[in-house]
Amino acid sequence: MLSRDANSMYWMSRYIERAENVARTIEVNSHMTLDLPGEEHTQWGPLVTIAGASDLFSTRYDEANQKNVIHFLAFDRDNPNSIISCLGAARENARAVRSSITSEMWEQINRMYLYVNETSTNARVFESPHEFYTRLKLGSHLFLGITEVTMTHGEGWHFCRLGRALERADQATRLLDVKYFILLPTVDHVGLSVDDIQWAAVLRSGSAFEMYRRQYGVIAPDKVVEFLLLDREFPRAVLYSLNRAEESLRAITGSLEGTFQSVPEQRLGQLRSDLTYMRVEEIIASGLHEFLDNFQKRLITVGDAIYDNFFSLRPVSGIHP
Amino acid sequence: MRFDNYDTEGFYDELFEAPGKPRPGAQILVERIHSLSDGDVTRRQIAAEQALLQMGITFNVYGADGGTERIFPFDIIPRIIQGGEWEVIERGLRQRIEALNLFIHDIYNEQHILRDGIIPEDIVLSATSYRAVCSGLTPPKGIWCHITGTDLVRDKDGTFYVLEDNLRCPSGVSYVLANRQVLKRTFPIVFHKSNVRAVADYPSHLLETLKYLAPDTQSAPVVAVLTPGIYNSAYFEHAYLAQQMGVELVEGSDLVVDNGFVCMRTTTGLQRVDVLYRRIDDDFIDPDVFRKDSMLGVPGLFEAYRTGRVALANAPGTGIADDKVIYAYVSRIVKYYMDQDMILPNVPTYICAEAEDLAYVLEHLDELVVKAANESGGYGMLVGPHSTREQQKEFAERIKSAPRNYIAQPTLALSRAPVIVDGHFEGRHVDLRPYILYGKDIFVMPGGLTRVALKKGSLVVNSSQGGGSKDTWVLSE
């Protein structure tokens, strides 16, 4: 397939997944805030921090309160990772590959964008945001389902899946970080504070509550971390996502399992294998935030390698001197 | 909503013979609309607009911040054409396209028609759309104009005339397909009963036409649609056609000429392309041959085309046949190459390059429409009845200084069709652009794009100036 099309499909999926996860992050925080009355101000700032957008935020808003942060994360077109920007970008990418995806996929992305665009001018969303998140989440799931059942599971589909899996792994680590920033402001405190309600909120925001309960019963921080990071079967867990990403990457290159022929396969394989053979105790002991931070950096190098290997338009030799 | 008070105001109306009297094929539709409750027609209009918005058939309104995209205005009352009438149009278009193709080939090769004095040589050779670089070329299978959109209008007495030929990159066919998809949902019962000829197979015919151009050595030819990119106003159409044909949609930067062959850059390396349906004008397809500043094209593309390694649809150089002055000669072109009389007439046209016509035009500027040969979209035009003495004087000077550049036509009373305006029906002027494919055979799509001038009294159907569209139903006989 065309390099440009592969690039667009990969980013189309990444942006949809990102939009869904930004919505999830806001949702988990809304829930936690309800449980922590009186600490409103300190509780919304961290969302901007983990999005890596503190500088941009402070130039545009004077205070990190609920309304400002939600506006920034959901509807601010100058924030490249806001929900509306993500859906706009997903839609532009979809438009660029409109001929290679199905009409149903395009129409679903278009519908989501039009919905968010319309909602952005509706002040009620700041008071009762729940419906907004729910519709976004369902919209994203619907897109995934449509992709699953209308698109041939060939190269393009694997690029979609690769982008989605990498984004989901990245976002899952950010979601865990929200909890870290809110409750555990310094590394020394790791493991000292246990709050059932708040960890439950983290699980719920990852649609992981019921599945976690069935597996572990009681809510314990290290088990939650283990579930969201290292589970092989839970579809929003990081390791699960990396395994799917690796499968799709191999389907694209044709490499056999356990082998690699390109830089992205090598880097993703190493990262996945580190996680495969990791214990949650080691992660907590070395510091969860530090671990997550390092993981995100390595994931970025995987993304860079994918770009270099598949998407960049390399010059062709010997044609136009 | 009823047609009881609908007034045709003396114009030829596409749905009504006379006030209160629907044309034969329109009776089912009119009865159905009369059976619907008041708000129902409006609701269907809104639902149709919503459907187009969700399908993403929109264009951007520039200058606004992100949010403003509009649909191309669409009116749900179809325009209906009788089978018998259509049969004449179809024959006329086939004849016209065949003749124009012979003309283009002759112009770039032996130039018999010039040597026989049928058309003055300088009119052809001085046209800005004449591409000297195409001289001596025979495109694959001898076909130059594979995809044509011909603009037709009806005058007061109901006669169809050809207003304009578009042989470069005519657009709009995707709206025909989308409008139909939406209208089948809007009036399913009427549609079913009316026996409307299908248009949905257009992409299949297009693909067949394009594949036919590939070198015979390629058993599974690769076809692609070449677009200027997502910011082009017709991008939706480019993507839609590629999708419907199941071929790649490429931009100039996706293509490269390697060892003389045109290739796409794919995730696994270069892949040869045999046929390009290019939706980029001649001027921009290859900076090595045409405009040097083009960022949209592919260096080396023309050379690959010239040596028969890639087919281009339409072939470069076809613009010569839709020059507005050449248009005036089409009946002579048909006669010359096919020894036939033209089936579909042109709008009577005065050629300012011919002394007698020039004198007439200069005396009757206040009642004629004067058009410059190489302008489009309403530029370089004088609409006599709506012009001032000053403007007429200015135009007279322009015509006298370069008569070759001008033609003139009488102002026509274009036919009208009812559209929904604020909860009732009013007549608006319409035209019709059918699409013709020239491959192994000549295929005329039954129907085409009916454009409507939505402003009251306006004759301008262009979307940039308040135009909209309607579905066009050609009935089976």
Side-chain angles (χ1 to χ4, degrees):
Chain A
M1 69 187 304
L2 286 179
S3 298
R4 185 174 50 80
D5 281 2
N7 188 25
S8 290
M9 288 193 193
Y10 173 86
W11 281 107
M12 171 184 75
S13 296
R14 277 200 84 142
Y15 278 121
I16 294 275
E17 186 69 26
R18 189 172 297 175
E20 179 192 330
N21 279 280
V22 174
R24 286 175 179 278
T25 315
I26 303 176
E27 193 187 16
V28 62
N29 211 55
S30 300
H31 278 292
M32 286 205 245
T33 308
L34 291 176
D35 295 326
L36 287 172
E39 294 181 49
E40 200 190 71
H41 297 280
T42 53
Q43 294 306 313
W44 285 93
L47 262 66
V48 178
T49 314
I50 63 150
S54 304
D55 291 347
L56 180 64
F57 183 85
S58 59
T59 61
R60 301 182 46 75
Y61 303 86
D62 47 8
E63 195 184 354
N65 57 26
Q66 173 168 355
K67 186 165 190 257
N68 285 346
V69 171
I70 290 184
H71 183 266
F72 179 71
L73 293 178
F75 303 118
D76 193 336
R77 286 182 194 275
D78 290 324
N79 170 12
N81 291 317
S82 68
I83 292 173
I84 202 163
S85 297
C86 285
L87 287 177
R91 184 164 172 260
E92 286 312 297
N93 277 291
R95 199 195 289 282
V97 285
R98 197 160 165 169
S99 60
S100 312
I101 60 177
T102 61
S103 324
E104 286 87 347
M105 288 167 72
W106 156 256
E107 283 174 26
Q108 174 56 15
I109 291 190
N110 194 38
R111 213 174 288 135
M112 282 173 80
Y113 174 80
L114 294 174
Y115 169 67
V116 174
N117 197 36
E118 203 182 293
T119 312
S120 68
T121 55
N122 180 354
R124 279 197 49 229
V125 73
F126 297 103
E127 291 153 33
S128 55
H130 183 70
E131 193 200 333
F132 175 67
Y133 306 135
T134 308
R135 281 190 65 168
L136 265 182
K137 211 160 66 180
L138 289 179
S140 167
H141 291 177
L142 183 53
F143 176 71
L144 186 54
I146 290 171
T147 307
E148 185 74 14
V149 298
T150 65
M151 189 183 191
T152 303
H153 291 198
E155 195 182 358
W157 185 82
H158 281 292
F159 271 109
C160 289
R161 189 170 178 245
L162 175 65
R164 184 173 64 243
L166 292 180
E167 185 67 26
R168 192 179 283 180
D170 181 59
Q171 295 293 335
T173 60
R174 288 177 198 272
L175 206 62
L176 274 171
D177 244 11
V178 181
K179 173 66 183 162
Y180 168 86
F181 269 102
I182 287 173
L183 279 187
L184 311 164
T186 66
V187 180
D188 299 339
H189 289 85
V190 171
L192 295 183
S193 173
V194 179
D195 188 328
D196 248 39
I197 297 171
Q198 293 183 340
W199 282 110
V202 171
L203 285 169
R204 282 212 175 84
S205 75
S207 301
F209 184 73
E210 290 86 356
M211 293 298 117
Y212 174 87
R213 272 282 199 232
R214 290 187 69 83
Q215 197 153 322
Y216 294 97
V218 294
I219 292 181
D222 55 338
K223 295 297 175 200
V224 175
V225 172
E226 182 174 75
F227 189 63
L228 291 181
L229 272 185
L230 302 180
D231 200 87
R232 281 180 174 72
E233 289 161 352
F234 179 64
R236 303 201 69 82
V238 173
L239 183 55
Y240 176 92
S241 298
L242 291 190
N243 276 317
R244 299 294 84 73
E246 216 185 354
E247 274 169 18
S248 281
L249 197 50
R250 277 206 310 271
I252 292 163
T253 60
S255 298
L256 294 173
E257 197 169 348
T259 70
F260 68 94
Q261 43 184 324
S262 65
V263 182
E265 288 172 279
Q266 183 190 16
R267 287 187 189 161
L268 181 58
Q270 286 169 342
L271 187 58
R272 196 268 309 147
S273 129
D274 282 357
L275 226 61
T276 307
Y277 299 103
M278 186 81 77
R279 281 181 195 283
V280 71
E281 291 79 11
E282 296 167 314
I283 294 173
I284 304 277
S286 71
L288 178 61
H289 174 65
E290 286 70 16
F291 174 84
L292 296 174
D293 207 38
N294 181 46
F295 177 86
Q296 283 166 5
K297 283 184 184 134
R298 288 180 66 185
L299 205 57
I300 288 171
T301 69
V302 173
D304 292 344
I306 288 171
Y307 175 83
D308 289 339
N309 201 69
F310 298 108
F311 307 149
S312 67
L313 296 179
R314 279 151 295 180
V316 180
S317 55
I319 306 138
H320 285 283
Chain B
M1 224 179 278
R2 299 185 59 88
F3 288 103
D4 300 344
N5 298 320
Y6 178 67
D7 189 355
T8 55
E9 296 176 279
F11 288 100
Y12 184 94
D13 193 275
E14 298 289 342
L15 289 195
F16 286 88
E17 281 175 20
K21 188 164 182 245
R23 294 189 183 279
Q27 260 155 1
I28 302 171
L29 176 74
V30 171
E31 278 164 24
R32 176 71 182 145
I33 287 174
H34 282 167
S35 77
L36 296 174
S37 71
D38 251 15
D40 205 352
V41 177
T42 312
R43 266 196 297 281
R44 286 172 199 232
Q45 173 71 35
I46 292 168
E49 287 169 3
Q50 280 296 326
L52 290 169
L53 187 67
Q54 296 223 324
M55 286 157 85
I57 307 175
T58 51
F59 58 91
N60 286 315
V61 181
Y62 289 102
D65 180 29
T68 40
E69 283 174 32
R70 304 237 175 97
I71 58 165
F72 181 34
F74 173 67
D75 181 82
I76 56 171
I77 308 302
R79 183 241 195 105
I80 297 176
I81 300 175
Q82 304 298 314
E85 265 180 331
W86 183 258
E87 194 267 334
V88 179
I89 294 178
E90 187 173 327
R91 270 193 300 127
L93 290 171
R94 280 175 200 278
Q95 179 198 51
R96 191 171 181 102
I97 297 309
E98 195 178 340
L100 288 175
N101 191 66
L102 290 168
F103 167 71
I104 300 167
H105 192 73
D106 186 30
I107 288 301
Y108 290 117
N109 288 277
E110 279 78 21
Q111 303 188 334
H112 292 299
I113 197 166
L114 302 183
R115 279 189 271 134
D116 290 345
I118 308 296
I119 303 179
E121 188 179 271
D122 66 304
I123 284 190
V124 172
L125 303 184
S126 69
T128 52
S129 52
Y130 174 74
R131 300 271 175 268
V133 71
C134 296
S135 293
L137 270 173
T138 298
K141 312 284 196 291
I143 307 166
W144 294 74
C145 45
H146 315 94
I147 301 116
T148 306
T150 303
D151 291 344
L152 307 178
V153 292
R154 255 202 237 250
D155 197 13
K156 225 178 181 119
D157 63 354
T159 314
F160 272 107
Y161 291 95
V162 174
L163 183 67
E164 215 172 282
D165 299 289
N166 297 285
L167 292 94
R168 300 173 218 201
C169 301
S171 63
V173 73
S174 58
Y175 293 110
V176 178
L177 302 173
N179 288 354
R180 174 59 57 85
Q181 233 177 313
V182 168
L183 215 69
K184 276 198 280 193
R185 291 186 234 164
T186 309
F187 290 121
I189 299 170
V190 184
F191 187 85
H192 182 73
K193 282 192 191 157
S194 297
N195 243 333
V196 182
R197 289 182 63 187
V199 292
D201 58 350
Y202 178 82
S204 310
H205 286 285
L206 178 59
L207 182 60
E208 211 176 290
T209 303
L210 294 169
K211 280 192 162 164
Y212 179 65
L213 308 177
D216 295 327
T217 50
Q218 297 293 92
S219 57
V222 175
V223 176
V225 178
L226 175 60
T227 173
I230 63 168
Y231 298 109
N232 185 274
S233 57
Y235 177 77
F236 160 72
E237 175 155 312
H238 308 159
Y240 186 77
L241 291 175
Q243 182 192 47
Q244 295 297 309
M245 289 192 287
V247 304
E248 296 287 0
L249 177 69
V250 298
E251 294 176 15
S253 60
D254 295 322
L255 297 178
V256 66
V257 177
D258 186 32
N259 285 323
F261 291 96
V262 178
C263 298
M264 306 186 275
R265 302 173 200 257
T266 76
T267 49
T268 50
L270 297 180
Q271 186 192 2
R272 182 174 162 188
V273 180
D274 302 297
V275 183
L276 273 177
Y277 176 22
R278 49 98 179 194
R279 294 293 298 258
I280 297 180
D281 284 336
D282 285 358
D283 277 344
F284 297 96
I285 54 170
D286 183 348
D288 286 357
V289 179
F290 301 103
R291 280 178 60 158
K292 307 266 174 284
D293 59 343
S294 169
M295 305 295 286
L296 304 172
V298 186
L301 180 61
F302 190 82
E303 182 60 17
Y305 164 71
R306 210 185 52 77
T307 52
R309 287 166 163 162
V310 70
L312 296 176
N314 289 349
T318 51
I320 187 62
D322 64 21
D323 179 284
K324 290 194 176 55
V325 176
I326 301 291
Y327 161 89
Y329 290 90
V330 174
S331 69
R332 299 181 213 180
I333 287 172
V334 171
K335 188 83 190 162
Y336 181 76
Y337 293 107
M338 301 178 72
D339 195 23
Q340 293 173 5
D341 291 326
M342 192 154 72
I343 299 167
L344 264 181
N346 271 6
V347 177
T349 302
Y350 303 96
I351 302 170
C352 298
E354 299 189 354
E356 207 173 303
D357 283 7
L358 176 63
Y360 180 87
V361 170
L362 291 174
E363 264 168 48
H364 296 85
L365 278 178
D366 56 336
E367 51 192 73
L368 297 172
V369 176
V370 184
K371 294 177 180 175
N374 301 311
E375 312 265 4
S376 64
Y379 295 101
M381 232 168 98
L382 176 81
V383 182
H386 298 181
S387 64
T388 62
R389 285 248 165 250
E390 289 282 284
Q391 287 168 321
Q392 290 168 22
K393 250 187 207 159
E394 190 203 323
F395 247 79
E397 290 310 312
R398 283 205 237 169
I399 296 169
K400 276 189 260 176
S401 68
R404 182 260 172 262
N405 274 336
Y406 293 92
I407 57 157
Q409 295 168 337
T411 324
L412 300 183
L414 298 192
S415 65
R416 300 201 318 187
V419 302
I420 301 171
V421 181
D422 299 330
H424 66 283
F425 296 109
E426 282 184 25
R428 292 289 185 268
H429 295 293
V430 294
D431 78 349
L432 175 65
R433 176 180 287 186
Y435 296 85
I436 307 105
L437 297 174
Y438 195 163
K440 198 166 183 179
D441 308 299
I442 296 178
F443 167 78
V444 181
M445 176 197 229
L449 185 63
T450 291
R451 295 187 295 178
V452 194
L454 291 172
K455 272 186 229 149
K456 193 173 185 133
S458 167
L459 295 170
V460 187
V461 294
N462 301 58
S463 57
S464 54
Q465 300 188 48
S469 74
K470 279 174 170 288
D471 193 16
T472 312
W473 291 3
V474 171
L475 308 184
S476 323
E477 281 294 275

